[in-house]
Amino acid sequence: MTRAETGPTCPVCGSGVWTIRFPATTDRNAGVSPDDLRCTSHDLGCHGDIVRCSDCGMLFNLPLPDPESLHEVYREVRDPSYLGETRAREETYRRTLRQLHEYAEPSGTLLDVGCYTGVFLAMAKAAGWDTQGLELSSWAAEIARRQEIGEIHETPLEDFPVEPGSFRVVTMWDVVEHLPNPAEVFRSVHRCLQPGGVVGFSTHMTDSPAARVMGTRYPFFMEMHVVHFSRPTLRRLLAQEGFEILAFRRHLRILRVSYLLEKIRYSTPTRAARSVLEWLGSLPITSERTIAIGGTGLVN
């Protein structure tokens, strides 16, 4: 579809003119459920219409969900499968933490937005940070609290009652793409940060080779990912909210081999192939072995 439409406004520039860039790959109309919002969701490449802002080029889902309604669904998310990925997540965050420490030595206060079960927070605290977390999922927040890694607040960042300049570092790993109001969120991040503070985050890039080649079937086009940045649109948003970009880094994701095979199995059309993948995933050699996945368009 190439005709410009008007309606929902762009979450970056506020324009109400857009065109459909990637037509829907699913016809589900029941609305988003807690299962759709699990970190371990298998709905890769399943999405409604994704539109492109005619003014700034930002991609976003149509319609964008209401933030408050979305927050209520997130509170109900339970994701026991995620617990099996803890060691792989630790390997991912070990590299991410090293990159963060190139710009902020480990001392002072750190807030992790969307901390889920607290894997990154535990590693940051062990490295010397004074940590706190924000997490909407009551299930995940309770697991994080058991680790004694600082206060875990079940509130959106925009509503977080904190004094301006309270944190030296704010992190948001695989979070910003879930937020229908990213400009407001980064405005809140800026308020939380000390002068000269650092924000670290990861997300997928729609101008990456993987996204360009795969098009509408790009795996990170999902119903729970509601905004989709390119480097130009991300630069625009960060500049307008008062940030200076220090670096783009490739974000490597460490996964258990069995978990990766499970993801592939759910998107495989033939029963025979699914059976083979299920068998491979059940082998002892794949249950704990991990693999680094790059080239997917993730950056931090």
Side-chain angles (χ1 to χ4, degrees):
M1 183 173 183
T2 58
R3 179 171 57 87
E5 302 279 1
T6 59
T9 57
C10 172
V12 170
C13 73
S15 170
V17 182
W18 42 262
T19 58
I20 293 180
R21 179 66 182 87
F22 296 111
T25 61
T26 178
D27 58 0
R28 288 190 297 180
N29 294 311
V32 68
S33 73
D35 281 349
D36 296 325
L37 302 179
R38 292 177 294 113
C39 280
T40 58
S41 169
H42 296 300
D43 291 337
L44 303 178
C46 296
H47 57 83
D49 288 334
I50 296 175
V51 301
R52 182 181 186 275
C53 173
S54 298
D55 288 345
C56 75
M58 181 66 185
L59 298 182
F60 57 97
N61 288 13
L62 187 69
L64 277 172
D66 170 67
E68 290 188 9
S69 299
L70 189 61
H71 295 159
E72 292 307 310
V73 183
Y74 269 110
R75 296 187 196 283
E76 302 300 321
V77 169
R78 298 178 60 84
D79 193 5
S81 296
Y82 184 88
L83 300 178
E85 296 306 303
T86 296
R87 186 172 70 84
R89 295 283 174 166
E90 288 173 343
E91 292 184 34
T92 297
Y93 287 138
R94 189 170 292 111
R95 182 175 187 271
T96 303
L97 198 57
R98 285 199 304 268
Q99 292 176 334
L100 178 65
H101 288 165
E102 295 177 21
Y103 304 98
E105 291 293 325
S107 66
T109 50
L110 181 149
L111 176 69
D112 189 27
V113 179
C115 68
Y116 219 45
T117 60
V119 176
F120 174 78
L121 273 182
M123 299 182 70
K125 183 176 178 63
W129 292 100
D130 178 9
T131 55
Q132 293 187 47
L134 298 184
E135 178 51 53
L136 292 180
S137 164
S138 296
W139 169 85
E142 181 55 32
I143 293 173
R145 288 192 185 100
R146 295 175 197 160
Q147 301 180 64
E148 299 183 354
I149 49 179
E151 291 186 78
I152 307 297
H153 311 271
E154 294 183 46
T155 182
L157 178 60
E158 311 91 279
D159 300 332
F160 185 34
V162 65
E163 290 295 320
S166 293
F167 295 95
R168 184 168 171 234
V169 168
V170 174
T171 56
M172 298 187 293
W173 308 120
D174 301 336
V175 168
V176 295
E177 61 271 19
H178 297 254
L179 307 173
N181 54 340
E184 183 180 355
V185 169
F186 275 104
R187 205 169 299 134
S188 299
V189 171
H190 199 283
R191 173 177 56 85
C192 289
L193 281 173
Q194 300 170 2
V198 173
V199 56
F201 64 96
S202 58
T203 191
H204 59 277
M205 290 283 105
T206 61
D207 55 347
S208 66
R212 288 176 170 173
V213 168
M214 300 185 75
T216 195
R217 290 295 180 180
Y218 183 50
F220 297 119
F221 289 155
M222 307 172 68
E223 290 196 66
M224 68 176 172
H225 295 165
V226 298
V227 296
H228 313 278
F229 289 99
S230 63
R231 284 169 178 77
T233 55
L234 186 56
R235 287 191 180 99
R236 174 170 181 157
L237 175 64
L238 293 174
Q240 76 185 26
E241 300 306 329
F243 291 94
E244 173 191 355
I245 296 176
L246 300 176
F248 283 114
R249 297 289 189 88
R250 184 176 62 155
H251 183 70
L252 279 180
R253 181 67 52 79
I254 310 299
L255 302 175
R256 284 189 306 148
V257 173
S258 59
Y259 179 74
L260 176 62
L261 291 172
E262 183 180 3
K263 290 282 190 182
I264 297 171
R265 178 166 62 89
Y266 271 85
S267 59
T268 298
T270 65
R271 180 178 298 179
R274 289 196 299 270
S275 297
V276 170
L277 289 167
E278 184 175 12
W279 173 74
L280 288 173
S282 69
L283 297 176
I285 195 172
T286 65
S287 61
E288 293 303 324
R289 181 165 295 185
T290 59
I291 184 172
I293 303 297
T296 60
L298 291 173
V299 301
N300 54 255

